[in-house]
Amino acid sequence: MNKRTFLKQLGLGTGAALAFPTFFTGCEATPNEDFKLWVWTGGDDKTSEDWKQEFTKLKEAGFHGVLVGGGHNTLPTAIPEAKALGLEIHAWVWTMNQPGDKEAQAHPEWYAVSREGNSSLDVRPYVDYYQWLCPNKPEVQEYIFNKMMDICDLEGLDGVQLDYVRFCDVILPPGLWSKYDLVQDHEMPEYDFCYCDTCRDKFKAKSGYDPLDKEDPSQDEDWKQFRYDSITEVVNKIAAGVHERKKKLSASVFASPSLARKFVRQAWDDWDLDFVFPMIYYKMYDEPVEFVRTATREGVDALKGSKPLYTAQYLHDKNAEEVRQSIEMAKAGGSEGLAVFNYSLLSDEFLEVIKAAQKA
Ligand SMILES: [Zn+2]
């Protein structure tokens, strides 16, 4: 199942706001601004009235902001409703992974190339919706930058939230290995990117050698750092444009700075973000709930107070007690808030748990 089908099955795009009865009756919670609540949402078919109902429910539960996918199809309707209720609204956008993007597909040379020499457009790693662009091609950088600014310019929008802002997973979080029948105790060439001419030439000009000249390029620290820096460069260019427009930039990233580097070459603690959402989905890492505390702490320490960190949790694989525990752990790790994926999974039971745990 690809992500889009999956999102559809979760109810996004099908008027999810109508799927839940109105639970709150006007008794507005006092939001705890020391621990901010965020939620991912979307839905191309939602009307202004749908958004109003959804956002009212969130506001009454003490939510601070919404991360809304769908770009120009959803945001012009959603933004005024969020603003009217005093919610922050950020555009949730995919960055380096651009499945089915017609403009990008008109330039097959824009796609990242694996250590085996295959383009991510032709040979898609793990899943069909993995179609990764090369972060070092100037044309790709320009294309992504323009795409982000086009969204950022929407009237009333508070900011842009980057997702898939990384390389393809060279190593999957361990909880997913069995799903793909893999034991990824080393970097496998078919999942290791990007070895296109642009990347290799740029690295060679800097370091004096081609990574492919190494017997095992996966062991080369300079080559790893080069790729962390490649993503950082893309992010910081977007950040400059977003900040010029007096808006905010954030990103959803892998669980901790060390694991994000290891799995997807994200050095997110180096990025010019205004805040960050580490996706500490502990079950995907095959870890107990305490991992939420330790990974949050690692991120908070790495950021050294430069920006807020809001721990993200996936609701699909959790019961109410697990949601409560993960909020407790996020707080113990020094998180300044919680972001949940996603609105259609936010049952009344979860809402009550989140409200109570936020205040605890
Ligand atoms: Zn490349």
Side-chain angles (χ1 to χ4, degrees):
M1 185 181 349
N2 71 32
K3 185 160 181 173
R4 287 182 172 178
T5 314
F6 181 59
L7 292 175
K8 272 210 178 108
Q9 289 191 0
L10 294 178
L12 287 178
T14 54
L18 302 173
F20 302 107
T22 305
F23 186 80
F24 299 99
T25 51
C27 177
E28 194 166 319
T30 311
N32 173 4
E33 287 296 315
D34 293 335
F35 193 78
K36 294 190 167 84
L37 298 177
W38 301 83
V39 61
W40 277 277
T41 185
D44 289 359
D45 306 331
K46 288 181 187 168
T47 62
S48 295
E49 189 52 36
D50 294 334
W51 287 118
K52 190 177 180 176
Q53 278 185 30
E54 177 172 331
F55 292 160
T56 301
K57 184 170 166 177
L58 291 166
K59 183 68 184 177
E60 288 175 349
F63 273 73
H64 174 83
V66 289
L67 310 163
V68 179
H72 289 282
N73 292 330
T74 53
L75 287 161
T77 324
I79 291 170
E81 301 304 327
K83 299 321 292 175
L85 287 158
L87 288 168
E88 264 192 56
I89 178 166
H90 296 252
W92 165 34
V93 286
W94 290 23
T95 315
M96 300 313 302
N97 180 29
Q98 293 287 351
D101 185 310
K102 295 280 171 275
E103 192 170 341
Q105 285 177 356
H107 307 274
E109 73 282 4
W110 285 7
Y111 290 80
V113 173
S114 72
R115 179 149 45 106
E116 280 187 324
N118 290 319
S119 160
S120 169
L121 178 59
D122 306 324
V123 181
R124 295 163 187 176
Y126 308 111
V127 283
D128 196 48
Y129 75 88
Y130 262 17
Q131 296 164 40
W132 297 88
L133 301 178
C134 163
N136 279 306
K137 297 248 195 287
E139 301 82 1
V140 171
Q141 292 183 353
E142 195 188 335
Y143 175 64
I144 291 173
F145 179 85
N146 291 340
K147 203 167 172 161
M148 298 307 167
M149 293 315 116
D150 179 50
I151 292 286
C152 186
D153 281 332
L154 281 168
E155 178 85 27
L157 188 77
D158 291 300
V160 175
Q161 182 257 310
L162 306 174
D163 198 357
Y164 290 91
V165 55
R166 57 181 180 88
F167 279 90
C168 168
D169 322 54
V170 64
I171 293 175
L172 288 170
L176 298 174
W177 290 1
S178 59
K179 185 176 170 189
Y180 296 98
D181 198 20
L182 290 167
V183 178
Q184 291 186 312
D185 52 4
H186 64 288
E187 295 189 3
M188 301 161 97
E190 59 268 51
Y191 306 116
D192 182 14
F193 293 83
C194 175
Y195 290 79
C196 79
D197 290 345
T198 307
C199 286
R200 284 163 49 215
D201 288 348
K202 194 172 165 187
F203 177 73
K204 193 174 178 179
K206 217 173 236 179
S207 310
Y209 59 94
D210 183 328
L212 286 178
D213 290 343
K214 293 277 173 173
E215 193 177 327
D216 183 0
S218 76
Q219 298 299 310
D220 192 292
E221 289 302 323
D222 289 340
W223 176 228
K224 278 187 187 165
Q225 185 64 46
F226 172 82
R227 288 175 291 172
Y228 306 154
D229 294 343
S230 304
I231 298 294
T232 299
E233 197 181 316
V234 170
V235 173
N236 289 352
K237 278 183 182 166
I238 296 170
V242 169
H243 292 151
E244 204 178 290
R245 287 160 174 79
K246 308 281 180 239
K247 298 197 178 180
K248 290 178 179 160
L249 186 69
S250 61
S252 47
V253 296
F254 272 45
S256 71
S258 60
L259 292 173
R261 280 173 174 78
K262 180 177 174 184
F263 292 160
V264 294
R265 313 200 193 287
Q266 267 179 337
W268 55 258
D269 45 321
D270 288 342
W271 299 353
D272 293 339
L273 301 174
D274 295 286
F275 43 92
V276 65
F277 299 102
M279 299 177 284
I280 311 181
Y281 302 166
Y282 62 93
K283 292 190 182 183
M284 283 192 197
Y285 288 85
D286 218 5
E287 294 281 356
V289 71
E290 286 74 21
F291 177 72
V292 177
R293 176 175 53 78
T294 55
T296 296
R297 177 55 63 192
E298 189 193 320
V300 167
D301 288 349
L303 294 175
K304 299 186 183 74
S306 62
K307 58 186 70 75
L309 177 152
Y310 306 117
T311 301
Q313 284 300 321
Y314 189 27
L315 296 175
H316 178 65
D317 56 4
K318 292 182 186 67
N319 60 37
E321 175 56 14
E322 290 167 332
V323 171
R324 190 197 63 74
Q325 287 173 343
S326 53
I327 297 171
E328 197 181 320
M329 291 295 159
K331 283 186 166 181
S335 179
E336 291 186 44
L338 176 81
V340 291
F341 188 86
N342 60 32
Y343 179 75
S344 68
L345 298 169
L346 198 53
S347 63
D348 289 335
E349 189 189 11
F350 282 165
L351 266 178
E352 285 302 307
V353 165
I354 291 168
K355 264 173 73 176
Q358 185 202 25
K359 288 184 191 152

